[in-house]
mmCIF file of all heavy atoms in Angstrom:
data_model
loop_
_atom_site.group_PDB
_atom_site.id
_atom_site.type_symbol
_atom_site.label_atom_id
_atom_site.label_comp_id
_atom_site.label_asym_id
_atom_site.label_seq_id
_atom_site.Cartn_x
_atom_site.Cartn_y
_atom_site.Cartn_z
ATOM 1 N N MET A 273 12.089 95.788 46.644
ATOM 2 C CA MET A 273 13.312 95.485 47.305
ATOM 3 C C MET A 273 13.415 93.971 47.493
ATOM 4 O O MET A 273 12.463 93.314 47.860
ATOM 5 C CB MET A 273 13.364 96.186 48.655
ATOM 6 C CG MET A 273 14.573 95.775 49.378
ATOM 7 S SD MET A 273 15.217 96.603 50.800
ATOM 8 C CE MET A 273 14.156 97.448 51.729
ATOM 9 N N ALA A 274 14.594 93.421 47.224
ATOM 10 C CA ALA A 274 14.816 91.984 47.337
ATOM 11 C C ALA A 274 14.869 91.574 48.801
ATOM 12 O O ALA A 274 15.365 92.312 49.645
ATOM 13 C CB ALA A 274 16.113 91.602 46.632
ATOM 14 N N ARG A 275 14.343 90.399 49.071
ATOM 15 C CA ARG A 275 14.401 89.853 50.423
ATOM 16 C C ARG A 275 15.803 89.392 50.743
ATOM 17 O O ARG A 275 16.507 88.868 49.887
ATOM 18 C CB ARG A 275 13.488 88.638 50.539
ATOM 19 C CG ARG A 275 12.104 88.972 50.850
ATOM 20 C CD ARG A 275 11.380 87.710 51.234
ATOM 21 N NE ARG A 275 10.086 88.114 51.706
ATOM 22 C CZ ARG A 275 9.138 87.305 52.079
ATOM 23 N NH1 ARG A 275 9.330 86.021 52.038
ATOM 24 N NH2 ARG A 275 7.999 87.759 52.482
ATOM 25 N N ARG A 276 16.197 89.560 51.973
ATOM 26 C CA ARG A 276 17.485 89.040 52.413
ATOM 27 C C ARG A 276 17.371 87.525 52.554
ATOM 28 O O ARG A 276 16.328 87.019 52.973
ATOM 29 C CB ARG A 276 17.866 89.660 53.748
ATOM 30 C CG ARG A 276 18.013 91.177 53.641
ATOM 31 C CD ARG A 276 18.416 91.784 54.932
ATOM 32 N NE ARG A 276 19.812 91.405 55.165
ATOM 33 C CZ ARG A 276 20.408 91.448 56.346
ATOM 34 N NH1 ARG A 276 19.746 91.825 57.397
ATOM 35 N NH2 ARG A 276 21.653 91.104 56.479
ATOM 36 N N PRO A 277 18.427 86.800 52.231
ATOM 37 C CA PRO A 277 18.379 85.345 52.396
ATOM 38 C C PRO A 277 18.183 84.963 53.860
ATOM 39 O O PRO A 277 18.610 85.673 54.766
ATOM 40 C CB PRO A 277 19.744 84.872 51.903
ATOM 41 C CG PRO A 277 20.392 86.043 51.260
ATOM 42 C CD PRO A 277 19.669 87.272 51.692
ATOM 43 N N ILE A 278 17.563 83.843 54.078
ATOM 44 C CA ILE A 278 17.370 83.280 55.401
ATOM 45 C C ILE A 278 18.343 82.109 55.515
ATOM 46 O O ILE A 278 18.356 81.226 54.664
ATOM 47 C CB ILE A 278 15.917 82.805 55.581
ATOM 48 C CG1 ILE A 278 14.958 83.960 55.314
ATOM 49 C CG2 ILE A 278 15.713 82.227 56.967
ATOM 50 C CD1 ILE A 278 13.545 83.524 55.040
ATOM 51 N N LEU A 279 19.162 82.102 56.546
ATOM 52 C CA LEU A 279 20.253 81.138 56.648
ATOM 53 C C LEU A 279 20.136 80.237 57.863
ATOM 54 O O LEU A 279 19.600 80.636 58.890
ATOM 55 C CB LEU A 279 21.591 81.881 56.742
ATOM 56 C CG LEU A 279 21.904 82.872 55.647
ATOM 57 C CD1 LEU A 279 23.114 83.709 56.022
ATOM 58 C CD2 LEU A 279 22.150 82.151 54.346
ATOM 59 N N SER A 280 20.695 79.049 57.728
ATOM 60 C CA SER A 280 20.859 78.130 58.842
ATOM 61 C C SER A 280 22.142 77.347 58.591
ATOM 62 O O SER A 280 22.402 76.933 57.465
ATOM 63 C CB SER A 280 19.685 77.160 58.926
ATOM 64 O OG SER A 280 19.894 76.221 59.942
ATOM 65 N N ALA A 281 22.952 77.159 59.594
ATOM 66 C CA ALA A 281 24.181 76.374 59.468
ATOM 67 C C ALA A 281 24.202 75.313 60.562
ATOM 68 O O ALA A 281 23.874 75.587 61.710
ATOM 69 C CB ALA A 281 25.402 77.281 59.588
ATOM 70 N N LEU A 282 24.570 74.101 60.186
ATOM 71 C CA LEU A 282 24.636 72.989 61.121
ATOM 72 C C LEU A 282 25.986 72.306 60.972
ATOM 73 O O LEU A 282 26.460 72.108 59.858
ATOM 74 C CB LEU A 282 23.538 71.966 60.816
ATOM 75 C CG LEU A 282 22.108 72.497 60.771
ATOM 76 C CD1 LEU A 282 21.198 71.485 60.126
ATOM 77 C CD2 LEU A 282 21.636 72.805 62.175
ATOM 78 N N ALA A 283 26.598 71.946 62.060
ATOM 79 C CA ALA A 283 27.858 71.213 62.045
ATOM 80 C C ALA A 283 27.603 69.815 62.597
ATOM 81 O O ALA A 283 26.907 69.653 63.601
ATOM 82 C CB ALA A 283 28.907 71.929 62.884
ATOM 83 N N PHE A 284 28.154 68.821 61.940
ATOM 84 C CA PHE A 284 28.036 67.435 62.378
ATOM 85 C C PHE A 284 29.438 66.883 62.555
ATOM 86 O O PHE A 284 30.258 66.949 61.649
ATOM 87 C CB PHE A 284 27.256 66.606 61.348
ATOM 88 C CG PHE A 284 25.837 67.037 61.209
ATOM 89 C CD1 PHE A 284 25.480 67.988 60.269
ATOM 90 C CD2 PHE A 284 24.854 66.518 62.023
ATOM 91 C CE1 PHE A 284 24.168 68.409 60.144
ATOM 92 C CE2 PHE A 284 23.548 66.928 61.910
ATOM 93 C CZ PHE A 284 23.199 67.873 60.971
ATOM 94 N N GLU A 285 29.701 66.337 63.723
ATOM 95 C CA GLU A 285 31.026 65.810 64.021
ATOM 96 C C GLU A 285 31.134 64.321 63.740
ATOM 97 O O GLU A 285 32.213 63.764 63.763
ATOM 98 C CB GLU A 285 31.379 66.093 65.479
ATOM 99 C CG GLU A 285 31.478 67.574 65.770
ATOM 100 C CD GLU A 285 31.770 67.846 67.230
ATOM 101 O OE1 GLU A 285 32.245 66.927 67.927
ATOM 102 O OE2 GLU A 285 31.512 68.969 67.664
ATOM 103 N N GLY A 286 30.022 63.676 63.462
ATOM 104 C CA GLY A 286 30.047 62.251 63.170
ATOM 105 C C GLY A 286 29.429 61.398 64.256
ATOM 106 O O GLY A 286 29.163 60.226 64.044
ATOM 107 N N SER A 287 29.188 61.967 65.429
ATOM 108 C CA SER A 287 28.592 61.182 66.506
ATOM 109 C C SER A 287 27.075 61.343 66.566
ATOM 110 O O SER A 287 26.394 60.553 67.214
ATOM 111 C CB SER A 287 29.210 61.584 67.849
ATOM 112 O OG SER A 287 28.982 62.960 68.103
ATOM 113 N N GLU A 288 26.549 62.358 65.891
ATOM 114 C CA GLU A 288 25.098 62.581 65.902
ATOM 115 C C GLU A 288 24.412 61.565 64.990
ATOM 116 O O GLU A 288 24.983 61.129 64.007
ATOM 117 C CB GLU A 288 24.755 63.983 65.379
ATOM 118 C CG GLU A 288 25.432 65.105 66.083
ATOM 119 C CD GLU A 288 26.818 65.405 65.520
ATOM 120 O OE1 GLU A 288 27.305 64.719 64.623
ATOM 121 O OE2 GLU A 288 27.427 66.340 66.031
ATOM 122 N N PRO A 289 23.176 61.216 65.306
ATOM 123 C CA PRO A 289 22.439 60.343 64.390
ATOM 124 C C PRO A 289 22.195 61.065 63.062
ATOM 125 O O PRO A 289 21.919 62.268 63.034
ATOM 126 C CB PRO A 289 21.118 60.073 65.106
ATOM 127 C CG PRO A 289 21.217 60.700 66.447
ATOM 128 C CD PRO A 289 22.429 61.554 66.493
ATOM 129 N N ILE A 290 22.311 60.327 61.975
ATOM 130 C CA ILE A 290 22.087 60.914 60.651
ATOM 131 C C ILE A 290 20.684 61.508 60.570
ATOM 132 O O ILE A 290 20.470 62.525 59.915
ATOM 133 C CB ILE A 290 22.319 59.862 59.547
ATOM 134 C CG1 ILE A 290 23.810 59.523 59.482
ATOM 135 C CG2 ILE A 290 21.823 60.348 58.200
ATOM 136 C CD1 ILE A 290 24.152 58.376 58.553
ATOM 137 N N ALA A 291 19.722 60.910 61.262
ATOM 138 C CA ALA A 291 18.338 61.393 61.226
ATOM 139 C C ALA A 291 18.204 62.818 61.755
ATOM 140 O O ALA A 291 17.195 63.474 61.497
ATOM 141 C CB ALA A 291 17.434 60.456 62.014
ATOM 142 N N GLU A 292 19.197 63.317 62.479
ATOM 143 C CA GLU A 292 19.116 64.688 62.999
ATOM 144 C C GLU A 292 19.153 65.715 61.864
ATOM 145 O O GLU A 292 18.529 66.759 61.956
ATOM 146 C CB GLU A 292 20.255 64.945 63.991
ATOM 147 C CG GLU A 292 20.286 66.331 64.563
ATOM 148 C CD GLU A 292 18.989 66.751 65.263
ATOM 149 O OE1 GLU A 292 18.266 65.899 65.806
ATOM 150 O OE2 GLU A 292 18.697 67.963 65.258
ATOM 151 N N ALA A 293 19.875 65.419 60.796
ATOM 152 C CA ALA A 293 20.019 66.388 59.699
ATOM 153 C C ALA A 293 18.686 66.677 58.997
ATOM 154 O O ALA A 293 18.308 67.846 58.871
ATOM 155 C CB ALA A 293 21.078 65.924 58.707
ATOM 156 N N PRO A 294 17.934 65.670 58.537
ATOM 157 C CA PRO A 294 16.651 65.993 57.906
ATOM 158 C C PRO A 294 15.658 66.620 58.881
ATOM 159 O O PRO A 294 14.855 67.475 58.487
ATOM 160 C CB PRO A 294 16.136 64.667 57.362
ATOM 161 C CG PRO A 294 17.127 63.637 57.705
ATOM 162 C CD PRO A 294 18.281 64.266 58.383
ATOM 163 N N SER A 295 15.719 66.239 60.155
ATOM 164 C CA SER A 295 14.847 66.862 61.148
ATOM 165 C C SER A 295 15.177 68.338 61.308
ATOM 166 O O SER A 295 14.284 69.183 61.418
ATOM 167 C CB SER A 295 14.979 66.155 62.500
ATOM 168 O OG SER A 295 14.576 64.821 62.398
ATOM 169 N N ALA A 296 16.465 68.666 61.306
ATOM 170 C CA ALA A 296 16.888 70.067 61.404
ATOM 171 C C ALA A 296 16.447 70.837 60.166
ATOM 172 O O ALA A 296 16.014 71.995 60.268
ATOM 173 C CB ALA A 296 18.401 70.153 61.576
ATOM 174 N N ALA A 297 16.517 70.221 58.995
ATOM 175 C CA ALA A 297 16.062 70.881 57.762
ATOM 176 C C ALA A 297 14.555 71.150 57.830
ATOM 177 O O ALA A 297 14.088 72.227 57.440
ATOM 178 C CB ALA A 297 16.399 70.021 56.541
ATOM 179 N N ARG A 298 13.802 70.199 58.354
ATOM 180 C CA ARG A 298 12.346 70.391 58.501
ATOM 181 C C ARG A 298 12.046 71.552 59.449
ATOM 182 O O ARG A 298 11.192 72.386 59.170
ATOM 183 C CB ARG A 298 11.683 69.111 58.983
ATOM 184 C CG ARG A 298 10.176 69.245 59.130
ATOM 185 C CD ARG A 298 9.526 67.917 59.467
ATOM 186 N NE ARG A 298 8.110 67.979 59.271
ATOM 187 C CZ ARG A 298 7.464 67.942 58.117
ATOM 188 N NH1 ARG A 298 8.141 67.834 57.004
ATOM 189 N NH2 ARG A 298 6.158 68.019 58.045
ATOM 190 N N ARG A 299 12.745 71.592 60.586
ATOM 191 C CA ARG A 299 12.530 72.699 61.535
ATOM 192 C C ARG A 299 12.868 74.042 60.875
ATOM 193 O O ARG A 299 12.145 75.018 61.048
ATOM 194 C CB ARG A 299 13.388 72.492 62.786
ATOM 195 C CG ARG A 299 12.869 71.413 63.710
ATOM 196 C CD ARG A 299 13.592 71.405 65.050
ATOM 197 N NE ARG A 299 15.029 71.226 64.937
ATOM 198 C CZ ARG A 299 15.643 70.053 64.871
ATOM 199 N NH1 ARG A 299 14.949 68.935 64.908
ATOM 200 N NH2 ARG A 299 16.967 70.002 64.797
ATOM 201 N N PHE A 300 13.953 74.082 60.130
ATOM 202 C CA PHE A 300 14.353 75.307 59.443
ATOM 203 C C PHE A 300 13.253 75.755 58.471
ATOM 204 O O PHE A 300 12.833 76.915 58.481
ATOM 205 C CB PHE A 300 15.674 75.086 58.697
ATOM 206 C CG PHE A 300 16.050 76.212 57.775
ATOM 207 C CD1 PHE A 300 16.463 77.438 58.279
ATOM 208 C CD2 PHE A 300 16.017 76.040 56.396
ATOM 209 C CE1 PHE A 300 16.820 78.480 57.425
ATOM 210 C CE2 PHE A 300 16.371 77.069 55.543
ATOM 211 C CZ PHE A 300 16.770 78.291 56.060
ATOM 212 N N LEU A 301 12.756 74.848 57.636
ATOM 213 C CA LEU A 301 11.738 75.222 56.652
ATOM 214 C C LEU A 301 10.398 75.546 57.315
ATOM 215 O O LEU A 301 9.658 76.413 56.829
ATOM 216 C CB LEU A 301 11.575 74.124 55.606
ATOM 217 C CG LEU A 301 12.767 73.961 54.665
ATOM 218 C CD1 LEU A 301 12.542 72.785 53.720
ATOM 219 C CD2 LEU A 301 13.032 75.242 53.883
ATOM 220 N N THR A 302 10.088 74.893 58.424
ATOM 221 C CA THR A 302 8.879 75.232 59.175
ATOM 222 C C THR A 302 8.979 76.658 59.703
ATOM 223 O O THR A 302 8.014 77.428 59.629
ATOM 224 C CB THR A 302 8.667 74.225 60.326
ATOM 225 O OG1 THR A 302 8.510 72.922 59.752
ATOM 226 C CG2 THR A 302 7.444 74.565 61.144
ATOM 227 N N ASP A 303 10.153 77.038 60.204
ATOM 228 C CA ASP A 303 10.377 78.417 60.656
ATOM 229 C C ASP A 303 10.311 79.405 59.493
ATOM 230 O O ASP A 303 9.797 80.513 59.650
ATOM 231 C CB ASP A 303 11.726 78.554 61.359
ATOM 232 C CG ASP A 303 11.738 77.920 62.740
ATOM 233 O OD1 ASP A 303 10.651 77.559 63.243
ATOM 234 O OD2 ASP A 303 12.843 77.778 63.303
ATOM 235 N N VAL A 304 10.829 79.022 58.344
ATOM 236 C CA VAL A 304 10.770 79.891 57.159
ATOM 237 C C VAL A 304 9.311 80.232 56.855
ATOM 238 O O VAL A 304 8.978 81.382 56.578
ATOM 239 C CB VAL A 304 11.457 79.215 55.946
ATOM 240 C CG1 VAL A 304 11.072 79.874 54.631
ATOM 241 C CG2 VAL A 304 12.973 79.231 56.123
ATOM 242 N N GLN A 305 8.444 79.239 56.950
ATOM 243 C CA GLN A 305 7.016 79.475 56.698
ATOM 244 C C GLN A 305 6.384 80.316 57.808
ATOM 245 O O GLN A 305 5.712 81.313 57.537
ATOM 246 C CB GLN A 305 6.260 78.150 56.609
ATOM 247 C CG GLN A 305 6.506 77.376 55.361
ATOM 248 C CD GLN A 305 5.579 76.182 55.270
ATOM 249 O OE1 GLN A 305 4.663 76.208 54.475
ATOM 250 N NE2 GLN A 305 5.807 75.149 56.073
ATOM 251 N N ALA A 306 6.586 79.898 59.043
ATOM 252 C CA ALA A 306 5.897 80.529 60.170
ATOM 253 C C ALA A 306 6.401 81.940 60.449
ATOM 254 O O ALA A 306 5.608 82.850 60.693
ATOM 255 C CB ALA A 306 6.051 79.667 61.421
ATOM 256 N N VAL A 307 7.694 82.136 60.420
ATOM 257 C CA VAL A 307 8.277 83.418 60.807
ATOM 258 C C VAL A 307 8.353 84.393 59.641
ATOM 259 O O VAL A 307 8.089 85.583 59.794
ATOM 260 C CB VAL A 307 9.687 83.210 61.428
ATOM 261 C CG1 VAL A 307 10.375 84.529 61.720
ATOM 262 C CG2 VAL A 307 9.597 82.357 62.681
#
């Protein structure tokens, strides 16, 4: 049986630091591994 995709969605309005996006991607992939 195929695995269901694992999803994450992030919205940026322009006021957040750009560095937040790669940090969020790292947290997402860390969770993909751990969970």
Side-chain angles (χ1 to χ4, degrees):
M273 175 165 26
R275 274 192 172 177
R276 298 181 71 199
I278 304 162
L279 305 169
S280 176
L282 305 166
F284 295 91
E285 296 178 19
S287 60
E288 305 86 357
I290 291 173
E292 179 56 29
S295 298
R298 181 174 195 76
R299 286 190 302 274
F300 170 71
L301 291 176
T302 299
D303 287 349
V304 163
Q305 287 188 107
V307 175

